[in-house]
Amino acid sequence: MKLAEKMFRLGTETAFEVLARAKQLEAKGKDIVHLEIGEPDFITPRNIIDAGIKALNEGYTHYNPSAGLPEFREVIAKEVSKTRNIDVNPDQVVVTPGAKPIMFFCIMALANEGEEIIYPNPGFPIYESVINFIGAKAVPIQLREENDFRLDTDELKKLVTERTRMIIINSPQNPTGGILTRDDLKVIADIALSKDIFVLSDEIYSRIIYEGDHHSISSFPGMQERTIILDGMSKTYAMTGWRLGYGVMREDLAVRIAKLQTNSNSCTATFTQMAGIEALTGPQDEVAGMVEKFKERRDVIVEGLNHIPRISCKTPKGAFYVFPNVKEIGWEVRKLSDFLLNEAGVAILFGTSFGKYGEGYIRISYANSVENIKKGLSRIEKALQKIK
Ligand code: PLP
């Protein structure tokens, strides 16, 4: 088979590969603790499920506009206006099957071949993958542990060139749990404004935050027209499998992104959008409860990891991941993660799944019960004793 050249530039999300390998081991009878996949272990709140079922029964089973159901776009516009303190109208909203297509579509829509996009590394692997796939130049900005995994704004200034088309930020961040401060965002906004650059602001974890408030770069003067806010239901409402996300952007861009949707998915499933309306307008106490549970688990895992010799772990401020430093163990992290899966029956991700600057780190998702987290930690500790 002769594939198109760009297919060889496409990366992947290792989480799905590790999950598949873990499942194979389980099929052979091995007990595995799953700390690899980035999805809440909670069930979608009942009122949202009921709204989805009701919508199916009421016949919301047909195509709908590519940009999304008008009533859902309206609810999203209200929600984003309120939470980001900006003024969004429904025509600025594009609904997609999960938030991921917003990444794909916006990178494709805004960068020509050879133009540059700056993205966080370690960071969500799909940014780098898609940038490379479309033939743009992927320019990583390193997130360092000593800087609490925030990007260094002086370094960012140096990476910007005449060819920079977009800066991608993600706060709270996957895989580190790091958060950009308001001051960081201000500097990034100033750069974007002075150099006429778009910012793709991945805010999918904006409701899963443990200290302080979420700040969106879109709220700085002049930034709304240069920002694409990416968000969705997956993480906040434990709805990963429903595939429901959205982007908020200037209207003229939204029209183009909707056209990409027409050319690919046609539209997002109709009944899931009705469930999305319930998610955003219904009671929010379950969300608060989930965040409370994540926080409790975070504290258990950070403390537990810091008790294991040769591992040190910062306390993340948001999302549901820790990114512990395992450099003292002295193994390449890919080999270490294989070892932990096969020897200890603990599925985690190696840091380089998130880019080259992830060497020396592993990512553990604590979207699992305290009991399983404790079980995983004790297995890791025991297995590491075999590595001299
Ligand atoms: N952005 C980040 C940083 C993520 O970690 C994820 C999912 O893991 C997504 C976006 C994609 O979310 P969705 O499942 O809604 O496509």
Side-chain angles (χ1 to χ4, degrees), residues 10-17 124-126 129 353:
L10 200 57
T12 190
E13 229 184 301
T14 315
F16 288 100
E17 288 175 6
F124 191 56
I126 301 306
S129 167
S353 316

Side-chain angles (χ1 to χ4, degrees), residues 13 38 98-100 103 124 127 170 174 202 204-205 230 234-235 243 321:
E13 229 184 301
K100 236 181 196 175
M103 260 169 231
F124 191 56
Y127 310 139
N170 173 212
N174 178 7
D202 186 338
I204 194 102
Y205 297 103
L230 175 154
S234 297
K235 317 286 176 175
R243 310 309 301 133
Y321 310 108

Side-chain angles (χ1 to χ4, degrees), residues 163-233:
R163 300 175 71 74
T164 308
R165 294 287 288 132
M166 183 190 276
I167 299 168
I168 302 176
I169 55 174
N170 173 212
S171 175
Q173 210 239 359
N174 178 7
T176 66
I179 278 183
L180 291 168
T181 63
R182 223 185 131 71
D183 290 345
D184 294 333
L185 295 173
K186 171 84 176 79
V187 180
I188 300 167
D190 288 344
I191 296 171
L193 288 165
S194 67
K195 301 279 183 181
D196 194 18
I197 296 170
F198 266 94
V199 174
L200 174 59
S201 183
D202 186 338
E203 303 181 14
I204 194 102
Y205 297 103
S206 59
R207 299 274 299 274
I208 305 173
I209 206 159
Y210 309 112
E211 285 145 49
D213 296 320
H214 171 68
H215 299 293
S216 173
I217 197 164
S218 62
S219 64
F220 287 93
M223 277 309 289
Q224 205 182 326
E225 61 182 75
R226 273 163 222 286
T227 306
I228 299 140
I229 298 174
L230 175 154
D231 203 344
M233 312 294 128

Side-chain angles (χ1 to χ4, degrees), residues 19 37-42 234-235 240-241 294 320-321 365 367-368:
L19 177 67
I37 199 88
E39 70 173 340
D41 55 320
F42 304 111
S234 297
K235 317 286 176 175
T240 46
F294 282 138
F320 38 69
Y321 310 108
S365 162
N368 206 327

Side-chain angles (χ1 to χ4, degrees), residues 12 23 26 69 75 115 144 160 204 211 242 250 262 308 331 373:
T12 190
K23 292 276 179 206
E26 275 173 334
L69 276 180
V75 163
E115 288 181 331
R144 294 189 179 80
V160 171
I204 194 102
E211 285 145 49
W242 292 72
R250 46 193 286 165
T262 309
I308 300 177
W331 274 25
I373 289 169

